[in-house]
């Protein structure tokens, strides 16, 4: 299948479906036509076509109803690739369509108060009871749990195994009895995150994703996709956060000084070479030569975003002393570039923590890409239940 | 269609150059040869047998008619081996100046350069920025001869023809009619000379030097990428093998994190250098791509060499380890063909990031 075939498909689809009519109906039809994510298999929103042809579809359907990337990010970027890789056919048919159309929002129940960078030490238990699992534990930093219909969940099913081996991956029904979502106020003043308490939550065995005890391997798929999703650099020169700051610089000559100028030019260059590295990575993926560069994109994104938002705030001088709104509210979606300069500065602080801290990412690069030896591990072959905590 | 990857042809050229340099010009032998004139056989084989001397010269003059993309791959390999060969000075800088001249006299010279029989050097300071005028050091007298002195000329020691800008004209001068005096250079693998002309006979070959310095700056980014890659891979090998506290030093996070950050800088240097080479090879204006690549890669090469030295500990400080060749080359190329500051100033202009009034 090539670019022309895809364009022909889009033409046929548009001839049969009016984008100006019902938004949801249009998105459902787009999924059914295989134009949701063309690299997915037929019947699951795709055409089994090469991944790079997706951008052709996006261009052709630019002016039609779009997804809501903010609230759908976890579903699209993390849950979907995991369900595709490990879900049964029944699970794929049940979950992928409403996930893509946004009828059902997803969140991620991974981190716990006692398991952050060391995610594999997590303590939420899932105990088998006939055809069901009973889940008890506490999850934290759960973006969008207050909107979510479903969650991807990792829980401990065998405490006698070493920590990486005794976990299982589930889809959690966020409407099930025993799921309690509580907002967690952040330094921005709003609550984008939540704490999620799971008390005697019963999940059918048909909600298990992958084998019993195979949770860590399944979770790796989610985590790799998360880093690519967060670190995805803007494809356009001068786009993203650097574009925002540079526009202000051009529009507001009174804010300029020499020190800021030198720093801004350096950051502009860093943003540009990072964008080029991202473009090169996408070319490698499309050419079927996956490079290890992906692990670095999220790390550079965090560093750059923090430097840029800091400079932006400083540049605004007196205006930077204010803040748009401290009132406590639930966020509608995750938006790094939204609201005002103070919010963006504070929100960016999370970029080097969420989705793998920058320190953990440096370990991953050092060990998996550069082949450097790991630190001595004291917890490797010890049953999880005997680990100090 | 623009691509930041390497084509099969480019990879073949790379492995031919790499094999030859590994056989004839490994860092240890470069080190051993410091202070004596470089073995002309290396350049002869590279220029003639592989044909890199005529890489950028069109078919009509007997060259390969290749583009900056292929030349960049050669630069990477030269950087990776710190080879003392006049590729950048003759096959890039002098060649681009002659191509810009476009006269029959320039064409005749290009034919000689393409075959590798003649090597040329552009008689401007290696520190000259592409954003400033050249040609002020040499005057033309009424009898048509040239007089003056040009300092810090790279590649003049290996050249039999000097291309000398004077005012707005470019002249060819036989090296035998000029005095080329090598001076002690920070980078001994690319020795600099003072070129003195005293009523030297000269032939006008064209107007100005065209885009030679900008083109050279763009390709120098690929050489800097090669330098940085050597520093990174050599350091990785060392920290995996060197033990202290009964562990490889590369297992300590303080070391791993520095190397992860350095790797990320090199990944971005590769993308920037490829982008500059691709822009020079295409019809688009390469100005911004070159300025971005040169400002980024120059600093990354220096940083990589400095990190390599620190992470090698005491052995990195010794003359017998080849690391200092790469440090000296990195630091010299940071100054060459415009400093990172010059290229950032240019970037600001081209990206519309105006300076304060």
């Amino acid at each position: 299948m090539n670019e022309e075939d895809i364009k022909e498909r889009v033409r046929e689809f548009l001839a049969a479906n009016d984008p100006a009519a019902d938004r949801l109906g249009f998105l459902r039809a787009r999924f059914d036509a295989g134009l949701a994510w063309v690299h997915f298999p037929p019947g699951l929103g795709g055409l089994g076509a090469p991944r790079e042809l997706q951008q052709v579809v996006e261009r052709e359907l630019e002016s039609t109803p779009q997804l809501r990337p903010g609230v759908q990010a976890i579903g699209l970027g993390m849950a979907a690739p995991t369900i595709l890789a490990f879900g049964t056919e029944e699970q794929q048919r049940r979950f992928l369509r409403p996930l893509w159309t946004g009828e059902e929002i997803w969140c991620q129940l991974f981190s716990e108060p006692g398991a952050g960078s060391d995610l594999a030490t997590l303590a939420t238990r899932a105990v088998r009871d006939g055809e069901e699992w009973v889940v008890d534990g506490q999850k934290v930093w759960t973006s969008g749990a207050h909107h979510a219909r479903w969650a991807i969940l990792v829980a401990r099913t065998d405490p006698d195994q070493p920590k990486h081996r005794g976990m299982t991956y589930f889809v959690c029904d966020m409407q099930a009895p025993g799921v309690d979502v509580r907002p967690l106020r952040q330094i921005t003043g709003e609550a984008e995150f939540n704490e999620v308490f799971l008390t005697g939550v019963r999940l059918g065995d048909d909600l298990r994703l992958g084998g019993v005890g195979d949770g860590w391997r399944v979770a790796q798929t989610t985590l790799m996709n998360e880093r690519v999703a967060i670190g995805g650099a803007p494809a356009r020169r001068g786009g993203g956060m650097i574009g925002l700051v540079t526009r202000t610089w051009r529009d507001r000559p009174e804010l300029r000084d020499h020190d800021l100028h030198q720093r801004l030019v350096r950051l502009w260059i860093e943003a540009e070479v990072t964008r080029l590295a991202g473009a090169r990575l996408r070319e490698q993926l499309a050419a079927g030569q996956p490079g290890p560069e992906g692990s670095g994109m999220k790390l550079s994104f965090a560093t750059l975003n923090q430097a840029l938002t800091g400079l932006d705030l400083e540049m605004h001088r007196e205006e930077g002393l204010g803040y748009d709104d401290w009132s406590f509210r639930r966020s509608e979606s995750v938006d790094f570039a939204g609201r005002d300069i103070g919010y963006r500065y504070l929100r960016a602080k999370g970029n080097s923590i969420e989705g793998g801290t920058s320190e953990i990412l440096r370990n991953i690069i050092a060990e998996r890409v550069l082949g450097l030896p790991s630190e001595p591990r004291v917890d490797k072959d010890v049953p999880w239940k005997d680990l100090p905590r | 269609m623009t691509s930041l990857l390497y084509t099969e042809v480019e990879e073949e050229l790379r492995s031919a150059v790499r094999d030859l340099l590994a056989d004839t010009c490994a860092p240890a032998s470069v080190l051993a040869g410091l202070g004596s004139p470089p073995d002309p056989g290396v350049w002869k084989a590279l220029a003639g047998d592989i044909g890199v001397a005529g890489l950028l010269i069109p078919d009509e003059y007997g060259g390969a008619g290749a583009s900056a993309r292929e030349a960049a791959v050669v630069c990477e390999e030269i950087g990776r081996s710190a080879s003392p060969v006049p590729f950048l000075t003759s096959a890039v800088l002098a060649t681009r100046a002659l191509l810009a001249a476009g006269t029959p006299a320039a064409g005749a010279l290009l034919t000689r350069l393409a075959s590798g029989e003649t090597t040329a050097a552009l008689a401007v300071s290696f520190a000259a920025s592409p954003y400033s005028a050249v040609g002020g050091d040499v005057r033309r007298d009424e009898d048509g001869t040239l007089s003056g002195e040009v300092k810090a000329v790279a590649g003049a020691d290996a050249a039999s023809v000097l291309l000398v800008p004077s005012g707005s004209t470019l002249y060819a001068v036989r090296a035998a009619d000029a005095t080329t005096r090598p001076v002690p250079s920070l980078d001994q693998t690319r020795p600099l000379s003072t070129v003195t002309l005293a009523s030297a006979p000269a032939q006008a070959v064209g107007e100005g030097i065209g885009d030679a310095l900008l083109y050279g700056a763009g390709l120098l980014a690929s050489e800097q990428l090669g330098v940085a890659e050597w520093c990174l891979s050599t350091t990785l090998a060392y920290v995996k093998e060197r033990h202290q506290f009964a562990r490889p030093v590369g297992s300590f996070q303080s070391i791993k994190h520095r190397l992860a950050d350095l790797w990320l800088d090199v990944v971005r240097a590769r993308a920037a250098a490829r982008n500059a080479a691709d822009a020079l090879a295409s019809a688009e204006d390469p100005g911004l791509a070159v300025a971005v690549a040169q400002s980024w890669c120059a600093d990354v090469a220096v940083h990589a060499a400095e990190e390599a030295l620190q992470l090698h500990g005491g052995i990195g400080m010794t003359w017998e380890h080849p690391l200092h060749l790469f440090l000296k080359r990195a630091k010299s190329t940071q100054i060459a063909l415009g400093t990172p500051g010059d290229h950032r100033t240019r970037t600001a202009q081209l990206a519309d990031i105006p300076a304060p009034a």
Side-chain angles (χ1 to χ4, degrees):
Chain A
M1 185 160 291
N2 61 30
E3 191 168 334
E4 273 316 305
D5 301 332
I6 291 279
K7 283 186 176 164
E8 180 55 34
R9 291 263 184 167
V10 174
R11 272 193 295 274
E12 284 169 18
F13 167 70
L14 283 176
N17 295 276
D18 178 8
D22 167 42
R23 173 181 181 275
L24 190 56
F26 181 84
L27 290 176
R28 284 176 179 160
R30 180 174 160 187
F31 185 93
D32 296 337
L35 297 171
W37 28 39
V38 294
H39 57 288
F40 273 46
L44 296 174
L47 299 166
R51 184 189 284 259
E52 71 266 22
L53 290 178
Q54 184 63 32
Q55 56 197 24
V56 178
V57 177
E58 297 303 335
R59 261 201 317 272
E60 299 291 309
L61 294 177
E62 217 168 34
S63 51
T64 65
Q66 297 294 306
L67 304 181
R68 294 173 294 155
V71 283
Q72 289 187 254
I74 290 167
L76 295 168
M78 295 160 229
T82 314
I83 293 168
L84 183 69
F86 292 97
T88 62
E89 203 187 321
E90 207 184 326
Q91 289 169 331
Q92 292 170 346
R93 292 196 180 282
R94 164 64 188 87
F95 292 121
L96 289 175
R97 188 175 185 251
L99 181 159
W100 189 82
T101 59
E103 288 163 81
E104 292 179 347
I105 300 303
W106 288 67
C107 68
Q108 180 185 19
L109 298 175
F110 278 30
S111 292
E112 298 181 3
S117 286
D118 185 11
L119 178 65
T121 201
L122 58 85
T124 292
R125 289 292 316 274
V127 177
R128 188 143 196 167
D129 180 19
E131 279 307 292
E132 288 186 321
W133 295 83
V134 183
V135 182
D136 286 277
Q138 183 191 349
K139 297 285 181 178
V140 76
W141 322 131
T142 314
S143 302
H146 48 294
H147 299 299
R149 174 67 186 84
W150 301 101
I152 42 179
L153 163 73
V154 191
R156 186 152 310 277
T157 43
D158 188 351
D160 294 324
Q161 294 278 346
K163 63 179 188 179
H164 287 97
R165 272 178 251 157
M167 287 177 282
T168 303
Y169 199 114
F170 297 94
V171 171
C172 179
D173 180 352
M174 292 298 285
Q175 293 173 353
V179 176
D180 180 15
V181 175
R182 301 182 197 167
L184 198 54
R185 195 177 189 193
Q186 291 157 239
I187 62 172
T188 55
E190 63 181 28
E192 179 189 297
F193 301 152
N194 299 274
E195 298 177 284
V196 178
F197 293 83
L198 304 166
T199 312
V201 177
R202 302 188 79 86
L203 302 176
D205 190 51
D206 56 352
L207 290 177
R208 173 166 50 80
L209 217 51
V212 175
D214 212 14
W216 185 247
R217 195 165 67 90
V218 184
Q220 289 308 306
T221 301
T222 310
L223 295 174
M224 291 316 286
N225 279 288
E226 177 173 29
R227 282 162 202 152
V228 173
I230 295 182
R236 204 163 40 83
R237 176 184 288 161
M241 193 66 79
I242 185 67
L244 205 63
V245 180
T246 314
R247 268 196 300 283
T248 309
W249 179 269
R250 288 177 196 138
D251 295 346
R252 306 271 309 266
E254 77 281 7
L255 298 180
R256 299 175 194 162
D257 71 36
H258 287 284
D259 173 67
L260 286 169
H261 186 240
Q262 299 207 345
R263 286 157 58 198
L264 179 58
V265 174
R266 278 174 187 268
L267 289 171
W268 192 92
I269 290 170
E270 187 176 341
E272 172 65 357
V273 298
T274 305
R275 180 188 74 85
L276 290 168
R280 188 164 192 277
L281 172 67
R282 277 191 293 278
E283 257 196 276
Q284 280 176 304
L285 290 172
Q289 347 168 340
E293 275 86 349
S295 335
M297 294 315 291
K298 198 243 157 188
L299 181 56
S300 8
F301 163 78
T303 313
L304 250 177
N305 223 27
Q306 291 177 348
L308 279 167
T309 52
L311 181 128
D312 199 12
L313 188 58
E314 182 184 335
M315 178 168 93
H316 280 80
R317 295 175 185 253
E318 192 178 273
E319 290 164 64
L321 295 175
Y323 194 78
D324 66 345
D325 183 6
W326 285 120
S327 61
F328 178 38
R329 55 181 170 177
R330 296 264 204 172
S331 315
E332 280 309 307
S333 71
V334 178
D335 187 2
F336 297 153
R339 286 180 55 177
D340 76 343
I341 44 177
Y343 169 84
R344 291 197 292 270
Y345 168 72
L346 295 172
R347 181 61 187 83
K349 296 295 149 225
N351 293 158
S352 54
I353 303 168
E354 58 203 334
T357 65
S358 291
E359 288 70 26
I360 288 292
L361 293 179
R362 288 187 180 97
N363 282 351
I364 290 174
I365 292 168
E367 291 172 20
R368 301 200 200 145
V369 181
L370 305 180
L372 291 170
S374 61
E375 295 262 347
R377 299 282 289 267
V378 293
D379 58 355
K380 220 172 168 180
D381 298 312
V382 183
W384 176 82
K385 64 178 169 45
D386 298 331
L387 291 174
R389 91 185 98 245
Chain B
M1 153 112 184
T2 245
S3 170
L4 301 175
L5 304 182
Y6 300 98
T7 64
E8 261 175 57
V9 174
E10 287 159 8
E11 289 293 2
E12 279 167 26
L13 175 64
R14 177 200 302 287
S15 68
V17 173
R18 184 180 291 191
D19 290 349
L20 178 80
L21 292 177
D23 287 347
T24 58
C25 212
S29 69
V30 174
L31 188 58
L34 285 185
S36 39
D39 172 10
V42 178
W43 175 238
K44 207 162 176 281
L46 200 58
D49 300 349
I50 299 181
V52 304
L55 209 52
L56 292 175
I57 298 175
D59 308 344
E60 54 181 306
Y61 304 117
S67 77
R69 291 181 56 100
E70 291 81 18
V73 171
V74 177
C75 288
E76 281 182 36
E77 293 308 311
I78 289 170
R80 202 193 303 274
S81 54
S83 304
V85 291
F87 178 75
L88 183 73
T89 50
S90 181
V92 178
L93 292 172
T95 296
R96 283 305 292 188
L98 288 171
L99 284 170
T103 60
L109 261 175
L110 282 168
T111 307
R112 283 161 57 197
L113 289 184
S115 70
E117 67 178 277
T118 297
T119 300
L122 187 60
V124 301
S125 167
F126 200 38
S129 151
Y131 316 120
S132 312
V134 297
D137 298 323
V138 175
R139 65 167 198 280
R140 182 171 179 273
D141 289 322
E142 279 178 13
D143 61 357
T145 63
L146 298 181
S147 292
E149 184 182 84
V150 190
K151 292 199 170 104
V153 179
D157 56 318
S160 54
V161 174
L162 298 171
L163 299 175
V164 185
S166 173
S168 60
T169 307
L170 183 67
Y171 297 90
V173 174
R174 292 194 312 144
D177 293 331
T179 309
T180 297
R181 186 168 45 85
V183 294
S185 310
L186 177 64
D187 174 10
Q188 291 175 279
T189 65
R190 186 148 45 207
L192 304 177
S193 307
T194 300
V195 171
T196 310
L197 303 166
S199 302
Q203 180 192 17
V205 292
E207 295 300 309
I209 60 169
D211 67 352
L213 297 182
L214 186 78
Y215 204 96
L219 288 182
L220 187 57
S222 286
E223 187 181 305
Q224 287 158 336
L225 168 64
V227 169
E229 283 182 331
W230 184 90
C231 292
L232 176 61
S233 63
T234 304
T235 306
L236 282 171
Y238 181 73
V239 301
K240 286 175 191 175
E241 168 221 322
R242 166 77 175 168
H243 280 65
Q244 290 287 274
F245 305 98
R247 293 163 58 176
V249 296
S251 68
F252 288 95
Q253 286 196 356
S254 61
I255 308 291
K256 287 155 86 165
H257 287 191
R258 283 171 76 155
L259 286 166
D261 285 335
L262 181 57
W263 171 81
L264 193 52
D265 285 344
V266 174
V267 163
R268 293 183 286 182
R270 188 177 302 116
R274 278 277 89 192
N275 187 54
D278 193 71
L280 287 168
S282 75
E284 69 171 292
D285 180 353
L288 183 57
V290 168
V292 166
Q294 187 46 234
S295 63
W296 182 262
C297 296
D299 285 347
V300 168
V302 170
H303 181 57
E306 290 175 352
E307 287 291 87
L309 203 158
Q310 175 67 20
L311 297 180
H312 273 77
I315 191 72
M317 205 54 205
T318 63
W319 188 269
E320 73 169 284
H321 196 288
L323 213 161
H324 62 103
L325 300 177
F326 294 86
L327 175 69
K328 293 164 186 173
R329 184 168 274 219
K331 196 64 192 172
S332 298
T333 63
Q334 190 184 35
I335 298 166
L337 303 175
T339 61
D342 294 333
H343 293 287
R344 280 194 285 270
T345 302
R346 186 70 183 147
T347 300
Q349 292 160 357
L350 294 174
D352 187 19
I353 309 171

